[in-house]
C-alpha cells in the first residue's frame, strides 16, 4: 500500500473492507455492478398514483425492503431507513464481520456515519394527509421517530450494536460523500476503528416529485424513461429521481490487518468546499468544485498525475454538468482532460439525492477492484463545451499507470465533496492485508 497518506501526516491509513448497495439496477453490490457494466438503465414510467403529475418518470430501487425485513420491523422505519439497514447488513457481511466473535470489533470503537437529505419527509407528508382526511387519532405513533433525519444512523447502530458514535450528515446531494469523508477523519483521529459510512434516500413521493418538477429540475423524458437522464449530453434537460442506499465499511489499516481482512482499496482522502454563490445553481466557473478536488488530492498525498479515473456527479442539468466539466479541465489540464476517463453513473440510476455519494463511492471502489470503468448511459451527443474523455458504449480498462480514483458529489446550496480512493496495485485490489 502506498505511503502517500502517511507522508501527509495521517498516522492511520483507512481502508475499505465491505460494500453494500441497493440501487435501481440491483438489490446488492454485485447485482448493481453487473447492471452498470452491462449498460442497464433503471428509469421507468411510474404507474397509478403518479400519472397526474407533470413528470412521472423515476428510478425505483430494484429491491423491495418488505421482501427482506420482517413486516413488524419494517413498519416502524421509513423507506430510506429500511434501505440503510439492509445495505449496512450487506456491507457488514461483505467485510466478514458477521463471521467474527463479539470481541473482534469493540462496539465502543465502532461508528456509523450516514448522509441523507429527505429522510423521513415522505412519512410526514403522508401523515399530513391522514390527519386531514381521518383525524389525529389515525396518525401512526411511529410517525415522529420515522421522520427525524437521524433514523437511518440510529437504526444501523441498533441493528449492528454500534456504541462508539452514530452520526448523520445533511449536506444536500453531497451528504453521502461527506458522511464517508467524516468517517475517514474519525478513524484517522483515533476515535473509532471501524465505521459503517455512506448515504440513503427514498424520495419517490408525489409531493417531492411535484416540488422538483415545479422548479424544472426533473427531466421531462420526452423520448421515454430510458433516455431521460443524459449526463453531459447536449440534449440533457434535468435529472431523474432515484432511490436506494450505499454503505461502505471503513477500517483503520491496523484493525483490518489484525483480523486478516480482505481489502478493496484505500480511502485515501477527501475534500470539501462551499460555493457561497446560489441556493440551487453552481458557480459557472466551477471554482468551488475545483477547490474540493484539489483538497481531496492534497489530503490523499497525491497529484493530478496520479488520477486514473473520475466518477462524475453529473446530474444531467445544463448548468451543473458544465460547471463540473470546467472544474475537471482546470484540475487535469489539457492532457489530463484527454487521458483521464470519466464516467457519470446517474445516466443509469438517476439521482439518488442523499444516497448518491454513498452509492457512487461504492461504484468507484468496485471500479478499482475490477479495474474496469463502467460506461455512461444516456450520453449520445456530448456537449460541445464538455472537453472530457467520458466513457460510453462499452466498459474500459482502468489505466494501469495511475492509482487515484475521484468520486464527486455536489449539492444545493453549493456543498461540494470529493472522495479520493487509492487502489492497492494492479492485480492486488482485493486482497488480505498481511
Amino acid at each position: 500500500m502506498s505511503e502517500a497518506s502517511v507522508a501527509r501526516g495521517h498516522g492511520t491509513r483507512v481502508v475499505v473492507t465491505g460494500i453494500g448497495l441497493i440501487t435501481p439496477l440491483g438489490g446488492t453490490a454485485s447485482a448493481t455492478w453487473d447492471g452498470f457494466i452491462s449498460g442497464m438503465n433503471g428509469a421507468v414510467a411510474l404507474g397509478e398514483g403518479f400519472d397526474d403529475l407533470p413528470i412521472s418518470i423515476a428510478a425505483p430501487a430494484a429491491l423491495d425492503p418488505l421482501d427482506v425485513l420482517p413486516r413488524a420491523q419494517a413498519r416502524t422505519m421509513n423507506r430510506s431507513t429500511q434501505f440503510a439497514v439492509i445495505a449496512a447488513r450487506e456491507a457488514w457481511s461483505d467485510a466478514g464481520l458477521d463471521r467474527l466473535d463479539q470481541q473482534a470489533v469493540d462496539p465502543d470503537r465502532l461508528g456509523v456515519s450516514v448522509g441523507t437529505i429527505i429522510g423521513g419527509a415522505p412519512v410526514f407528508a403522508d401523515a399530513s394527509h391522514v390527519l386531514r382526511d381521518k383525524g389525529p387519532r389515525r396518525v401512526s405513533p411511529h410517525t415522529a421517530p420515522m421522520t427525524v433525519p437521524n433514523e437511518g444512523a440510529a437504526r444501523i447502530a441498533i441493528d449492528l450494536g454500534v456504541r462508539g458514535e452514530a452520526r448523520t450528515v445533511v449536506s444536500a446531494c453531497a451528504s453521502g460523500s461527506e458522511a464517508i469523508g467524516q468517517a475517514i477523519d474519525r478513524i484517522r483521529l483515533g476515535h473509532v476503528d471501524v465505521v459503517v459510512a455512506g448515504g440513503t434516500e427514498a424520495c419517490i413521493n408525489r409531493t417531492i416529485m411535484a416540488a422538483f418538477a415545479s422548479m424544472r429540475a426533473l427531466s421531462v423524458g420526452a423520448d421515454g424513461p430510458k433516455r431521460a437522464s443524459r449526463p453531459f449530453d447536449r440534449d440533457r434537460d434535468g435529472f431523474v429521481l432515484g432511490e436506494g442506499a450505499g454503505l461502505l465499511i471503513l477500517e483503520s489499516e491496523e484493525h483490518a490487518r489484525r483480523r486478516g481482512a480482505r481489502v478493496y482499496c484505500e480511502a485515501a482522502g477527501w475534500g470539501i468546499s462551499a460555493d457561497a454563490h446560489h441556493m440551487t445553481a453552481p458557480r459557472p466557473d466551477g471554482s468551488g468544485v475545483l477547490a474540493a478536488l484539489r483538497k481531496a488530492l492534497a489530503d490523499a498525498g497525491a497529484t493530478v498525475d496520479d488520477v486514473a479515473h473520475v466518477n462524475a456527479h453529473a446530474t444531467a442539468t445544463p448548468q451543473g454538468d458544465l460547471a463540473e466539466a470546467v472544474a475537471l479541465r482546470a484540475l487535469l489540464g489539457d492532457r489530463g482532460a484527454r487521458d483521464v476517463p470519466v464516467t457519470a453513473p446517474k445516466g443509469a440510476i438517476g439521482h439518488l439525492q442523499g444516497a448518491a455519494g454513498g452509492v457512487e463511492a461504492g461504484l468507484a471502489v468496485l471500479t478499482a477492484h475490477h479495474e474496469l470503468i463502467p460506461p455512461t448511459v444516456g450520453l449520445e451527443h456530448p456537449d460541445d463545451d464538455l472537453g472530457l474523455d467520458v466513457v460510453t458504449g462499452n466498459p474500459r480498462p482502468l489505466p494501469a499507470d495511475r492509482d487515484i480514483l475521484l468520486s464527486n458529489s455536489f449539492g444545493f446550496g453549493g456543498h461540494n465533496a470529493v472522495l479520493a480512493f487509492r487502489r492497492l496495485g494492479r492485480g492486488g485490489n482485493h486482497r488480505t492485508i498481511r
Side-chain angles (χ1 to χ4, degrees):
M1 188 176 294
S2 170
E3 299 294 324
S5 59
V6 172
R8 286 294 302 171
H10 305 311
T12 301
R13 288 198 194 93
V14 180
V15 296
V16 181
T17 58
I19 307 172
L21 298 177
I22 298 171
T23 74
L25 302 186
T28 64
S30 61
T32 292
W33 175 256
D34 289 345
F36 269 116
I37 288 299
S38 64
M40 282 178 58
N41 187 318
V44 298
L46 299 175
E48 186 178 356
F50 295 88
D51 47 9
D52 63 330
L53 297 180
I55 297 170
S56 56
I57 292 172
L63 176 145
D64 184 346
L66 298 180
D67 292 336
V68 178
L69 298 172
R71 192 165 294 272
Q73 181 185 30
R75 67 188 290 268
T76 67
M77 306 178 188
N78 68 54
R79 185 173 172 86
S80 173
T81 296
Q82 293 169 0
F83 288 144
V85 168
I86 295 169
R89 289 177 180 176
E90 183 192 9
W92 189 258
S93 178
D94 186 47
L97 291 166
D98 61 339
R99 297 187 294 275
L100 301 176
D101 59 50
Q102 278 191 316
Q103 283 68 44
V105 180
D106 182 351
D108 292 318
R109 293 191 58 78
L110 175 60
V112 176
S113 181
V114 177
T116 189
I117 308 171
I118 306 298
V123 173
F124 187 83
D126 293 343
S128 296
H129 295 310
V130 171
L131 175 63
R132 180 194 63 200
D133 298 338
K134 300 181 180 180
R137 294 185 180 276
R138 297 297 298 275
V139 174
S140 168
H142 301 298
T143 299
M146 288 170 66
T147 58
V148 293
N150 68 306
E151 191 198 19
R155 287 287 189 176
I156 292 172
I158 293 168
D159 195 62
L160 298 180
V162 175
R163 295 207 304 256
E165 55 187 48
R167 304 162 66 86
T168 301
V169 177
V170 183
S171 296
C173 306
S175 299
S177 290
E178 187 174 339
I180 293 171
Q182 289 191 16
I184 292 171
D185 283 349
R186 299 298 288 174
I187 294 172
R188 282 174 172 173
L189 290 169
H191 294 290
V192 285
D193 297 321
V194 181
V195 182
V196 185
T200 189
E201 205 77 89
C203 55
I204 300 177
N205 168 273
R206 282 177 51 80
T207 302
I208 293 166
M209 288 192 65
F212 276 122
S214 179
M215 66 182 294
R216 300 183 180 180
L218 299 182
S219 169
V220 299
D223 297 323
K226 300 303 181 185
R227 299 184 68 195
S229 182
R230 295 183 275 197
F232 293 133
D233 195 277
R234 72 186 183 199
D235 298 322
R236 65 193 182 279
D237 67 338
F239 59 78
V240 170
L241 274 177
E243 63 175 4
L247 279 300
L248 304 180
I249 302 297
L250 303 179
E251 291 187 58
S252 71
E253 180 188 15
E254 179 183 1
H255 189 277
R257 180 185 289 113
R258 190 164 61 242
R259 70 180 187 89
R262 177 205 58 192
V263 171
Y264 283 102
C265 64
E266 180 185 0
W270 73 300
I272 191 169
S273 71
D275 278 0
H277 172 67
H278 191 274
M279 194 57 214
T280 59
R283 282 190 177 274
D285 65 1
S287 58
V289 171
L290 179 59
L293 287 162
R294 286 174 170 164
K295 289 178 181 179
L297 286 178
D299 194 45
T303 71
V304 171
D305 293 335
D306 298 318
V307 179
H309 168 58
V310 177
N311 186 340
H313 179 68
T315 62
T317 56
Q319 290 177 300
D321 286 12
L322 284 186
E324 184 173 12
V326 169
L328 287 173
R329 291 199 306 270
L331 176 78
L332 300 172
D334 292 339
R335 183 187 64 80
R338 294 191 302 270
D339 295 344
V340 175
V342 176
T343 196
K346 292 180 181 67
I349 59 174
H351 192 349
L352 274 65
Q353 302 293 307
V359 167
E360 293 169 24
L363 176 61
V365 170
L366 289 170
T367 297
H369 164 50
H370 293 288
E371 299 183 345
L372 197 61
I373 302 170
T376 297
V377 173
L379 176 55
E380 299 176 3
H381 307 290
D383 193 298
D384 293 338
D385 297 324
L386 183 57
L388 297 173
D389 178 21
V390 181
V391 179
T392 59
N394 297 310
R396 191 187 303 178
L398 190 67
D401 58 343
R402 289 161 271 167
D403 64 355
I404 290 291
L405 293 83
L406 299 176
S407 186
N408 296 346
S409 296
F410 317 122
F412 279 1
H415 293 276
N416 305 308
V418 177
L419 298 168
F421 297 99
R422 177 177 284 110
R423 62 178 177 176
L424 302 184
R426 191 165 177 79
N429 301 80
H430 198 192
R431 64 181 179 89
T432 298
I433 293 182
R434 300 296 184 189

